Amino acid sequence: MPNQGMTLLSAVAALAVAATLSLSWFSLWQQQQALQQVQVWRLSMLQLQQAQRNFYRLHGRFAGSQSELVSAALLPQPLVFPDTGGWQFEADQHRLIMRAEIHRPSVTLLMKDFNDYHWQPPLLSVKVIGYVAP
């Protein structure tokens, strides 16, 4: 009889170890997916910044949308940023601020709005500087 109790205890311990290992692997996998998504964002942002700079050099102003960059043959197609909203471009002479809302369900920020609190998704902002051709 004591042998059966030890076998049952060993089986429960093995299941607990397996569950812990599975949860650890899943957590690492989620982190890897998030890092890959950040890499996609980073590469796409660099492409978008470069396309905007080139558009500025050619036209003396920034493009108002990604489709304008595609029409000017500076991007092969509109860039996709997973879990973000469409980019908004705010040009101010030689400076451009590009913003997109991040729609990941696990990422939310609490922002203060004068008398009340409201939940608002974080913004991804990128600054681009245009240069006047000599």
Side-chain angles (χ1 to χ4, degrees):
M1 283 292 206
N3 199 11
Q4 286 179 343
M6 290 303 283
T7 303
L8 180 61
L9 184 61
S10 297
V12 169
L15 284 174
V17 168
T20 302
L21 287 174
S22 295
L23 286 174
S24 297
W25 179 85
F26 183 68
S27 176
L28 286 172
W29 179 80
Q30 281 183 320
Q31 285 181 333
Q32 183 64 29
Q33 294 299 324
L35 286 173
Q36 285 177 349
Q37 186 175 55
V38 167
Q39 279 298 101
V40 168
W41 284 350
R42 187 172 290 156
L43 291 173
S44 295
M45 278 190 296
L46 287 173
Q47 280 184 292
L48 193 53
Q49 282 178 298
Q50 191 60 42
Q52 282 284 12
R53 285 188 188 112
N54 290 335
F55 191 91
Y56 188 91
R57 285 186 190 110
L58 292 171
H59 302 282
R61 65 175 181 85
F62 290 108
S65 66
Q66 284 198 54
S67 58
E68 200 172 350
L69 293 169
V70 171
S71 297
L74 295 171
L75 286 179
Q77 62 194 19
L79 300 172
V80 177
F81 292 83
D83 295 324
T84 61
W87 283 94
Q88 300 152 1
F89 299 137
E90 300 169 17
D92 178 25
Q93 292 186 356
H94 306 301
R95 184 178 59 118
L96 172 72
I97 302 294
M98 303 186 301
R99 287 196 171 94
E101 280 188 355
I102 300 174
H103 297 297
R104 288 190 63 110
S106 61
V107 181
T108 51
L109 294 178
L110 181 62
M111 308 294 284
K112 177 74 173 125
D113 183 25
F114 297 111
N115 302 323
D116 202 5
Y117 287 100
H118 67 283
W119 291 99
Q120 180 178 345
L123 284 175
L124 181 62
S125 296
V126 182
K127 185 177 181 180
V128 182
I129 304 295
Y131 300 96
V132 178

PDB file of all heavy atoms in Angstrom, residues 4-22:
ATOM      1  N   GLN A   4       1.825   2.340  -3.483  1.00  0.00           N
ATOM      2  CA  GLN A   4       0.818   2.991  -4.329  1.00  0.00           C
ATOM      3  C   GLN A   4       0.709   4.470  -3.999  1.00  0.00           C
ATOM      4  O   GLN A   4       0.523   5.300  -4.880  1.00  0.00           O
ATOM      5  CB  GLN A   4      -0.547   2.323  -4.153  1.00  0.00           C
ATOM      6  CG  GLN A   4      -0.649   0.972  -4.817  1.00  0.00           C
ATOM      7  CD  GLN A   4      -2.008   0.346  -4.598  1.00  0.00           C
ATOM      8  OE1 GLN A   4      -2.754   0.759  -3.704  1.00  0.00           O
ATOM      9  NE2 GLN A   4      -2.327  -0.662  -5.397  1.00  0.00           N
ATOM     10  N   GLY A   5       0.828   4.818  -2.745  1.00  0.00           N
ATOM     11  CA  GLY A   5       0.780   6.215  -2.339  1.00  0.00           C
ATOM     12  C   GLY A   5       1.954   6.997  -2.914  1.00  0.00           C
ATOM     13  O   GLY A   5       1.808   8.139  -3.362  1.00  0.00           O
ATOM     14  N   MET A   6       3.115   6.385  -2.931  1.00  0.00           N
ATOM     15  CA  MET A   6       4.293   7.038  -3.495  1.00  0.00           C
ATOM     16  C   MET A   6       4.159   7.187  -5.008  1.00  0.00           C
ATOM     17  O   MET A   6       4.568   8.186  -5.582  1.00  0.00           O
ATOM     18  CB  MET A   6       5.563   6.237  -3.150  1.00  0.00           C
ATOM     19  CG  MET A   6       5.935   6.303  -1.676  1.00  0.00           C
ATOM     20  SD  MET A   6       6.172   7.993  -1.104  1.00  0.00           S
ATOM     21  CE  MET A   6       7.771   8.319  -1.769  1.00  0.00           C
ATOM     22  N   THR A   7       3.552   6.194  -5.648  1.00  0.00           N
ATOM     23  CA  THR A   7       3.354   6.260  -7.094  1.00  0.00           C
ATOM     24  C   THR A   7       2.390   7.389  -7.430  1.00  0.00           C
ATOM     25  O   THR A   7       2.609   8.159  -8.367  1.00  0.00           O
ATOM     26  CB  THR A   7       2.799   4.913  -7.617  1.00  0.00           C
ATOM     27  OG1 THR A   7       3.699   3.881  -7.248  1.00  0.00           O
ATOM     28  CG2 THR A   7       2.642   4.935  -9.115  1.00  0.00           C
ATOM     29  N   LEU A   8       1.310   7.503  -6.663  1.00  0.00           N
ATOM     30  CA  LEU A   8       0.335   8.574  -6.873  1.00  0.00           C
ATOM     31  C   LEU A   8       0.979   9.934  -6.622  1.00  0.00           C
ATOM     32  O   LEU A   8       0.806  10.871  -7.405  1.00  0.00           O
ATOM     33  CB  LEU A   8      -0.870   8.375  -5.951  1.00  0.00           C
ATOM     34  CG  LEU A   8      -1.972   9.424  -6.058  1.00  0.00           C
ATOM     35  CD1 LEU A   8      -2.552   9.424  -7.473  1.00  0.00           C
ATOM     36  CD2 LEU A   8      -3.050   9.168  -5.038  1.00  0.00           C
ATOM     37  N   LEU A   9       1.764  10.032  -5.567  1.00  0.00           N
ATOM     38  CA  LEU A   9       2.461  11.284  -5.256  1.00  0.00           C
ATOM     39  C   LEU A   9       3.454  11.638  -6.356  1.00  0.00           C
ATOM     40  O   LEU A   9       3.550  12.798  -6.770  1.00  0.00           O
ATOM     41  CB  LEU A   9       3.170  11.150  -3.904  1.00  0.00           C
ATOM     42  CG  LEU A   9       3.860  12.400  -3.374  1.00  0.00           C
ATOM     43  CD1 LEU A   9       2.836  13.518  -3.173  1.00  0.00           C
ATOM     44  CD2 LEU A   9       4.577  12.102  -2.080  1.00  0.00           C
ATOM     45  N   SER A  10       4.156  10.655  -6.879  1.00  0.00           N
ATOM     46  CA  SER A  10       5.105  10.890  -7.972  1.00  0.00           C
ATOM     47  C   SER A  10       4.379  11.350  -9.228  1.00  0.00           C
ATOM     48  O   SER A  10       4.855  12.242  -9.943  1.00  0.00           O
ATOM     49  CB  SER A  10       5.888   9.613  -8.292  1.00  0.00           C
ATOM     50  OG  SER A  10       6.647   9.225  -7.182  1.00  0.00           O
ATOM     51  N   ALA A  11       3.218  10.761  -9.516  1.00  0.00           N
ATOM     52  CA  ALA A  11       2.439  11.152 -10.697  1.00  0.00           C
ATOM     53  C   ALA A  11       1.951  12.588 -10.564  1.00  0.00           C
ATOM     54  O   ALA A  11       2.011  13.374 -11.527  1.00  0.00           O
ATOM     55  CB  ALA A  11       1.264  10.201 -10.898  1.00  0.00           C
ATOM     56  N   VAL A  12       1.468  12.961  -9.373  1.00  0.00           N
ATOM     57  CA  VAL A  12       0.995  14.329  -9.149  1.00  0.00           C
ATOM     58  C   VAL A  12       2.160  15.314  -9.267  1.00  0.00           C
ATOM     59  O   VAL A  12       2.041  16.379  -9.883  1.00  0.00           O
ATOM     60  CB  VAL A  12       0.294  14.447  -7.773  1.00  0.00           C
ATOM     61  CG1 VAL A  12       0.041  15.892  -7.397  1.00  0.00           C
ATOM     62  CG2 VAL A  12      -1.007  13.656  -7.772  1.00  0.00           C
ATOM     63  N   ALA A  13       3.298  14.959  -8.726  1.00  0.00           N
ATOM     64  CA  ALA A  13       4.482  15.825  -8.813  1.00  0.00           C
ATOM     65  C   ALA A  13       4.921  15.976 -10.268  1.00  0.00           C
ATOM     66  O   ALA A  13       5.268  17.075 -10.715  1.00  0.00           O
ATOM     67  CB  ALA A  13       5.617  15.259  -7.970  1.00  0.00           C
ATOM     68  N   ALA A  14       4.892  14.876 -11.029  1.00  0.00           N
ATOM     69  CA  ALA A  14       5.271  14.938 -12.438  1.00  0.00           C
ATOM     70  C   ALA A  14       4.306  15.823 -13.221  1.00  0.00           C
ATOM     71  O   ALA A  14       4.720  16.605 -14.088  1.00  0.00           O
ATOM     72  CB  ALA A  14       5.309  13.538 -13.035  1.00  0.00           C
ATOM     73  N   LEU A  15       3.002  15.729 -12.919  1.00  0.00           N
ATOM     74  CA  LEU A  15       2.016  16.591 -13.578  1.00  0.00           C
ATOM     75  C   LEU A  15       2.244  18.062 -13.226  1.00  0.00           C
ATOM     76  O   LEU A  15       2.127  18.935 -14.086  1.00  0.00           O
ATOM     77  CB  LEU A  15       0.595  16.170 -13.195  1.00  0.00           C
ATOM     78  CG  LEU A  15       0.066  14.912 -13.882  1.00  0.00           C
ATOM     79  CD1 LEU A  15      -1.286  14.518 -13.301  1.00  0.00           C
ATOM     80  CD2 LEU A  15      -0.044  15.130 -15.375  1.00  0.00           C
ATOM     81  N   ALA A  16       2.572  18.342 -11.980  1.00  0.00           N
ATOM     82  CA  ALA A  16       2.833  19.720 -11.565  1.00  0.00           C
ATOM     83  C   ALA A  16       4.064  20.273 -12.278  1.00  0.00           C
ATOM     84  O   ALA A  16       4.067  21.416 -12.741  1.00  0.00           O
ATOM     85  CB  ALA A  16       3.019  19.787 -10.049  1.00  0.00           C
ATOM     86  N   VAL A  17       5.101  19.478 -12.394  1.00  0.00           N
ATOM     87  CA  VAL A  17       6.315  19.909 -13.105  1.00  0.00           C
ATOM     88  C   VAL A  17       5.995  20.144 -14.581  1.00  0.00           C
ATOM     89  O   VAL A  17       6.413  21.146 -15.174  1.00  0.00           O
ATOM     90  CB  VAL A  17       7.447  18.871 -12.926  1.00  0.00           C
ATOM     91  CG1 VAL A  17       8.598  19.142 -13.885  1.00  0.00           C
ATOM     92  CG2 VAL A  17       7.935  18.876 -11.493  1.00  0.00           C
ATOM     93  N   ALA A  18       5.233  19.227 -15.178  1.00  0.00           N
ATOM     94  CA  ALA A  18       4.867  19.374 -16.593  1.00  0.00           C
ATOM     95  C   ALA A  18       4.029  20.631 -16.810  1.00  0.00           C
ATOM     96  O   ALA A  18       4.238  21.359 -17.788  1.00  0.00           O
ATOM     97  CB  ALA A  18       4.108  18.137 -17.068  1.00  0.00           C
ATOM     98  N   ALA A  19       3.093  20.900 -15.902  1.00  0.00           N
ATOM     99  CA  ALA A  19       2.261  22.108 -16.028  1.00  0.00           C
ATOM    100  C   ALA A  19       3.110  23.362 -15.893  1.00  0.00           C
ATOM    101  O   ALA A  19       2.941  24.326 -16.651  1.00  0.00           O
ATOM    102  CB  ALA A  19       1.151  22.093 -14.975  1.00  0.00           C
ATOM    103  N   THR A  20       4.044  23.370 -14.954  1.00  0.00           N
ATOM    104  CA  THR A  20       4.924  24.519 -14.766  1.00  0.00           C
ATOM    105  C   THR A  20       5.789  24.746 -15.997  1.00  0.00           C
ATOM    106  O   THR A  20       5.945  25.881 -16.470  1.00  0.00           O
ATOM    107  CB  THR A  20       5.810  24.319 -13.522  1.00  0.00           C
ATOM    108  OG1 THR A  20       4.976  24.127 -12.392  1.00  0.00           O
ATOM    109  CG2 THR A  20       6.718  25.505 -13.295  1.00  0.00           C
ATOM    110  N   LEU A  21       6.337  23.683 -16.541  1.00  0.00           N
ATOM    111  CA  LEU A  21       7.156  23.797 -17.743  1.00  0.00           C
ATOM    112  C   LEU A  21       6.329  24.285 -18.937  1.00  0.00           C
ATOM    113  O   LEU A  21       6.796  25.109 -19.725  1.00  0.00           O
ATOM    114  CB  LEU A  21       7.819  22.457 -18.071  1.00  0.00           C
ATOM    115  CG  LEU A  21       8.963  22.038 -17.143  1.00  0.00           C
ATOM    116  CD1 LEU A  21       9.438  20.627 -17.479  1.00  0.00           C
ATOM    117  CD2 LEU A  21      10.112  23.014 -17.231  1.00  0.00           C
ATOM    118  N   SER A  22       5.109  23.786 -19.039  1.00  0.00           N
ATOM    119  CA  SER A  22       4.235  24.229 -20.142  1.00  0.00           C
ATOM    120  C   SER A  22       3.911  25.713 -20.026  1.00  0.00           C
ATOM    121  O   SER A  22       3.948  26.444 -21.020  1.00  0.00           O
ATOM    122  CB  SER A  22       2.934  23.421 -20.150  1.00  0.00           C
ATOM    123  OG  SER A  22       3.203  22.076 -20.434  1.00  0.00           O
TER     124      SER A  22
END
